[in-house]
Amino acid sequence: MTVPRGVAQVDFQPSYWTGLLFIVALFVGGWQFGVFGLLGTVAATATAYLLGVTWDRVGLGLEGFCGTLIGVSLVLYLGVSWMTVFLVIGGAIAGSVLTSAMVTVLTPYNLPTFTAPFCVITTVMVIGAPSFARVWAGHVNTSAPSVTHPGTAVTWTDVWQGTFNGVGQVFFQNKWYVGVIFLLGLLVAGRRIALVAFLSSLLGLLVGWSFGAQAADLGAGLYGYNSVLTGIALAGTFVVLTPISGVYAAIGAASAAALTAGIGNLFAVVGGHTLTWPFVLITWVFLAAVPMLAKIHRVAD
C-alpha cells in the first residue's frame, strides 16, 4: 500500500485508491512512465526505510513521491535505456537523502519540502546529461509545443484540453484524457480537492492567456500544473479553507502560473526545465507569510 500512496502524495493525497488511479494514468500515458515512475517510487521509499526514516512518513508515502517524479521526468528527458534505469535509481536514492536533509532544515520554519528534492535532483542530472555520451545518447526532443506550433490565438480546444492537461502535467503527461484519469483519482480523495485542481488548472491557463502566452503551450497544460499543486496546497491541505483563504490560494495559484515563464526561460539557458519550481517557491512564500496574516491560518498538524 505504501507505493501507491507514494505516487498519490505527488498531489498531497495519502489515499491508496487515488495512487492506484494515478498509476493507471501513468501507464495510459505510456508504459515507460508507469514503469519508471514506480521504479523511482520504490527506490526512494526503500532507501528511506532502510536508512531508518520513521514509519509514519514512509507508510503515508511521504518518502516516495519525489522518486515518482524523478522516474517520470528522467525517462521523459533521457529516453528509455538501461542507463536511465540506473540514473532513476541513483536519483531516487539521492532524492531520499536530500528529502531528509530538507525536512531537518525546514521543519523549524514549519515548511514542507514539497517537490523541492525532485526539482534539485532532476535539474542537476538533466543539465549535466549532455556531457555524458551514454546518458545523452537516447534523449528525446522535449521542446515546448509552441516551438513547432507558434501563435497566440487560443481556441476552445486549447482551453478544455489545456485545463485537463494542466492536471496531467503534474506528472509530465500531455494527453487530456490522462489528465481526466488523474482528476478522477483526486475525486476519489475528495470532491473539494478535485474541484480545486480543476479550477486551479483553468486559472493558470487564463493567467497565461491574459499575458499572451503561446496557445500551443496553454493547450498542453504548461501554465496549469504548477497552479494545480499550489491551489491544492493552499486551499485546505496546509491552510484552513475559508472564503478569505480561498482568495489567498487563488492568488498563489495565479502567481505560480505567472512565474512559470520566468523560471522556464532561466533554466532554458543552461538546458534545464521549469519542473515544479514555481509551485515550490510560491507556496513556500505564501506559507511563510501566514503567521503575519491574522485572517489566514495553517491546518493543525
Side-chain angles (χ1 to χ4, degrees):
M1 295 178 67
T2 301
V3 171
R5 283 176 173 164
V7 179
Q9 285 285 4
V10 172
D11 281 339
F12 312 109
Q13 307 309 309
S15 167
Y16 171 81
W17 298 107
T18 296
L20 285 181
L21 281 171
F22 282 8
I23 292 169
V24 169
L26 285 173
F27 276 99
V28 172
W31 68 266
Q32 68 273 28
F33 299 120
V35 169
F36 281 82
L38 287 174
L39 176 63
T41 310
V42 170
T45 302
T47 299
Y49 176 75
L50 292 173
L51 292 178
V53 175
T54 57
W55 183 251
D56 60 336
R57 284 188 57 85
V58 176
L60 287 175
L62 293 174
E63 294 294 325
F65 68 94
C66 280
T68 305
L69 292 177
I70 288 169
V72 175
S73 62
L74 290 184
V75 75
L76 172 66
Y77 296 133
L78 303 180
V80 178
S81 70
W82 285 110
M83 184 60 68
T84 304
V85 171
F86 297 137
L87 289 174
V88 168
I89 294 173
I93 292 171
S96 178
V97 175
L98 182 57
T99 295
S100 294
M102 295 191 72
V103 168
T104 301
V105 171
L106 293 174
T107 294
Y109 302 98
N110 198 21
L111 292 176
T113 61
F114 296 132
T115 55
F118 144 69
C119 287
V120 172
I121 297 300
T122 299
T123 296
V124 170
M125 295 181 80
V126 171
I127 289 176
S131 295
F132 303 105
R134 293 186 181 88
V135 172
W136 199 238
H139 83 280
V140 294
N141 180 17
T142 54
S143 300
S146 58
V147 172
T148 53
H149 297 88
T152 57
V154 176
T155 66
W156 169 241
T157 299
D158 293 324
V159 173
W160 73 264
Q161 289 191 2
T163 301
F164 288 121
N165 280 336
V167 179
Q169 284 284 6
V170 171
F171 289 82
F172 302 91
Q173 303 304 302
N174 63 354
K175 300 181 178 70
W176 67 266
Y177 50 85
V178 175
V180 171
I181 301 174
F182 280 116
L183 198 60
L184 289 175
L186 291 174
L187 187 61
V188 169
R191 287 178 292 180
R192 175 190 59 80
I193 295 167
L195 180 61
V196 168
F198 181 84
L199 293 178
S200 297
S201 180
L202 178 60
L203 176 60
L205 185 150
L206 292 176
V207 169
W209 168 78
S210 68
F211 287 144
Q214 295 289 301
D217 295 343
L218 294 172
L222 297 184
Y223 283 84
Y225 70 97
N226 278 291
S227 296
V228 169
L229 290 171
T230 305
I232 295 175
L234 297 178
T237 301
F238 296 99
V239 175
V240 176
L241 185 59
T242 65
I244 293 178
S245 69
V247 175
Y248 190 67
I251 295 172
S255 300
L259 185 60
T260 293
I263 295 292
N265 289 339
L266 175 65
F267 280 119
V269 175
V270 292
H273 298 274
T274 307
L275 306 179
T276 55
W277 281 114
F279 147 67
V280 170
L281 298 175
I282 291 296
T283 308
W284 274 346
V285 169
F286 274 64
L287 288 184
V290 168
M292 293 291 293
L293 309 175
K295 294 185 178 180
I296 309 293
H297 304 283
R298 289 289 298 269
V299 171
D301 294 332

